[in-house]
Amino acid sequence: MEIKQVKINHMNNPIGFELNDLLINCTVQADQYPEDLQKKLTITNNEKNVFETDWQQAGNLDFKPIFKLQSKTRYDIKIELKSNQQIVSQTAFFETGLMNGFKKSNWVGTNDASVHGLDLIKQFNLPKEVNQGRLYISGLGVYEVYIDDIKVGDEYLAPGFTNYNYYVQIATHDITKYLQTPGIHTIRIRLGDGWYRGKLGIKEHGGKANQYGNALMANAEIDYVDNAGVPHTIGTDDSWQAQTSPITHSGIYYGEDFDETISAKNLNIKTFEQPTKHLKDRLSLPIKEHETFEVQKKIITPSNGVVLDFGQNLAGWVTFQNTLPKGTKVELEYGEILQNGELYRGNLRSARATFTYVSNGQAHIVKPHFTYFGFRYVKLIGFPNDIDLNDFQAKALYSDMDAIGNIESDNKLVNQLFSNIQWGQRSNFMDVPTDCPQRDERLGWTGDAAVFAKTASYNMDTYQFNRKFAYDIAVEQSINDGEVPLYVPAVDGDDGGKAVWSDVATILPWTSYTRTKDTSILRQNFGAMMSWVDWVHDYAKQTRNEFLWLDADQLGDWLALDTEDIMHLKGKTPDELIASAYYYQSAQIVANSAAVLNAKREHEYYQLLADKIKEAFIGEFFTASGRLITDTQTALSLCLQLKLYPQGDQEVLTNKLVERIEKDRNHLTTGFVGTPALLPALSQNNQNELAVQMFLNEDYPSWLYQVRLGATTIWERWDSVKPDGEINDNGMNSLNHYSTGAVMQWAYEYLLGIQQDTEQLTIKPAISPKFRTMEGHTQLVTGQVRVAWKIKDQTGTAVHLSLDLPYDQPAIVELPRTNDWIANGVQHQNGDQLSAGHYEIDYQPLVPFVNNFDVHTALVKFINNQTITKKLDQLVPFWGFLNLPGNMEHFQDYSILQLSQEMKGIGFSPLTTEQIKQINQMFMDYETEKNNKG
């Protein structure tokens, strides 16, 4: 057995973070895990024990040490695991920050509003080599620090995006390696406008400047300890020098102007009162450079321009090796797509999204500093014709989260879709979960975060990222009496209190808890979670029913295709149905959270509220006979997923959803709300093959439509690009949104079958003959769970499953089309529980897995097959009508089941359940016989 990783509050060796509710755990890996495993934790400071456990039974691999943390202190950790007197161990560390804010420094800067780039400089003398150096720093807007012209650390866009009026984060940097040489050293804090001062928001053209302030400033303390153990401190004060920066202008939307030929001008330095209510040790994960992309193609445009294609849409920037003569000015314009051979930037709206550079003539790597771009293509302006493509690289920029999950299948288009979803996540997890990385927006839209939260947590370790964003949400709620804005931080208005979007206040903490079993995020946010539900309840009390969310302005099923909205922005599912459903869900989440936290009174109250909402929902949105008042895909899926229907009506509602999908030619019509619910509603109600068929559609509208058109990220709209490659020019069209990528949650939970709730792990793969192989993994609390299945032969009569269950994660295993199976040579009944370990599972399905047609398949797929059509002539009452001249051509895009509903108008009764079974069995027999012959 091997200890793979030790984490402190879900982070790797964190320095300077706020470390409330300390949690230390590890992950392990082995083929089989011992039952008598014991664990031990030791925490030391300067080799002195500050906390130590006895050997204890390892029911899990978590430790929650309770002792008083000291500021600016490193703690070394050792975890030991023992079985049969054999011990394995692993070490890690964490280090506290200031904990109570700056003590020996001031906020310094300039109040000259004309300055958009500022350097704060201090020379200091080190009399001898030091043992340890630490820099504690914050800045407004964004900053980078240099010691002797060498950048400190590898993060960018610090201190991150917060409501700076409420709190500002302090980072801690280990600068020991920069202080090894005695003598004079120079520290330079370089500042740009960033989110603090640059144009931001969407309510004014191109955003509004100075959302949080109009002066660039910073606060820093340098602590170092010499060889004699004597501490020394240098703080920011009016003895520092202020100068203009070679970065003359920068902005999140604007881009950056970087001129290395201009001479710095001295500025008057000013000290400031603390510009925020709270100074906190950091919550934000650092934003770092990650993947590097080389130029895939150099394109000469019809206008004789030069465009570089990096092959992947991403968020970040392009770096290049400077070979330009001194004084040469160049520009890099960023964009996501080509149109008519030229770089298209119309969907950026007012975002300038350009990097300009004036060369100092020296060879070095040039990159932006205080901005980022959403792009695949970059247009070069002012460069010589004979550029070396090897000098240019694209760097992906996003918050530093571990990648923990992935899925691969035998379908290349599906694999590309999963890659697109993950790149949409990377591109938009930039300290806050933005909606897009390219245009004049890039705000922390709450709805996107809510619907994608589970998918995000399967792909990457999002716990600390979510913890920071949940805190940001709670900050805005504290200002608005519990109401949650549409985007957080709420930079330019008070628009909020809308279903789905604002429900992020409950969804995000609950998702993080269910994925990690760490209750600290619930404790941190329980008050905010309650205050959101209370806000809705207080609003509802002013309407005709306090248990429904009525008479409110909502965004509804945003960008759904069944729209009747005059602006074509939201679907026809009633806003009040969606809002009331999410009202119920949030109330239930709060009740469940209260139970986890053992808050009995709150649990009883919110459970009663949730029950009342469900009762009122059924009374309002279902007729006396049990019919839902609307038949949209979104409404039906949402009710099925949340179990909001009269008792016993699950099958009726499922059949209505299938009927609705058939009317829509087996294609989705859902938007923001319905898309994440659609396929799970089908798969969990015995309609997995229909779900897979819809998932695998390649024509519009579908997930794979965009893949076939060359997408490398997820689009904002189902038709962001038309079939001819022309972009949909409608003023709101990002090619790097991620919300509809929430379908990957369905893939983890159904195609792979990893179903994790608060109490039990179940492995229940929805094996489909439309795939031959499926493999994937994600991280659980103690290690990785991996599932790989394959249909071993063309006849679909042999299935193999490879399964890895991490320590302390037994799982109930339920496999389709069988009553029993063999795992590692041992016979098991379906539904048996397997303990942690590695398993090879084989079984023969009762019904073969063949890539068969069924009643949902469009006629065009098989109408030229005489064997099938002869049998359908005997099984389908209206088949003769279809064979009348011109009919088959007219109806070929419809399925048998859809036509069954439509033929009522000309005297045919809809197919019965028994007839449907006979037709599906015929298709199955045909495929089996064909494969046997083959």
Side-chain angles (χ1 to χ4, degrees), residues 125-130 179-185:
N125 182 45
L126 287 180
K128 54 185 176 178
E129 182 180 337
V130 302
L179 304 179
Q180 291 301 298
T181 305
I184 301 298
H185 294 268

Side-chain angles (χ1 to χ4, degrees), residues 217-273:
M217 63 189 90
N219 199 340
E221 292 181 7
I222 303 173
D223 284 6
Y224 61 93
V225 179
D226 64 22
N227 290 326
V230 179
H232 303 269
T233 299
I234 301 169
T236 46
D237 55 28
D238 58 11
S239 70
W240 285 53
Q241 183 182 6
Q243 291 182 345
T244 57
S245 164
I247 301 172
T248 58
H249 197 86
S250 62
I252 302 300
Y253 302 164
Y254 177 85
E256 185 170 294
D257 296 334
F258 186 21
D259 186 345
E260 291 196 290
T261 66
I262 60 175
S263 299
K265 296 180 181 179
N266 291 329
L267 300 167
N268 292 327
I269 195 161
K270 175 181 172 60
T271 60
F272 295 84
E273 295 295 323

Side-chain angles (χ1 to χ4, degrees), residues 507-571:
I507 293 171
L508 203 64
W510 181 249
T511 298
S512 294
Y513 164 71
T514 56
R515 288 284 290 117
T516 65
K517 304 300 185 289
D518 185 352
T519 58
S520 64
I521 197 164
L522 295 182
R523 285 194 294 272
Q524 172 190 290
N525 294 284
F526 189 55
M529 296 165 75
M530 289 190 294
S531 71
W532 165 241
V533 174
D534 292 347
W535 185 92
V536 180
H537 192 191
D538 289 343
Y539 181 94
K541 287 176 181 177
Q542 303 172 44
T543 66
R544 58 185 170 85
N545 191 328
E546 67 175 289
F547 303 118
L548 296 172
W549 194 353
L550 310 173
D551 305 327
D553 179 32
Q554 302 283 359
L555 294 175
D557 195 20
W558 189 251
L559 298 184
L561 298 176
D562 58 355
T563 180
E564 295 177 346
D565 171 24
I566 192 171
M567 300 296 292
H568 299 287
L569 290 175
K570 61 181 178 179

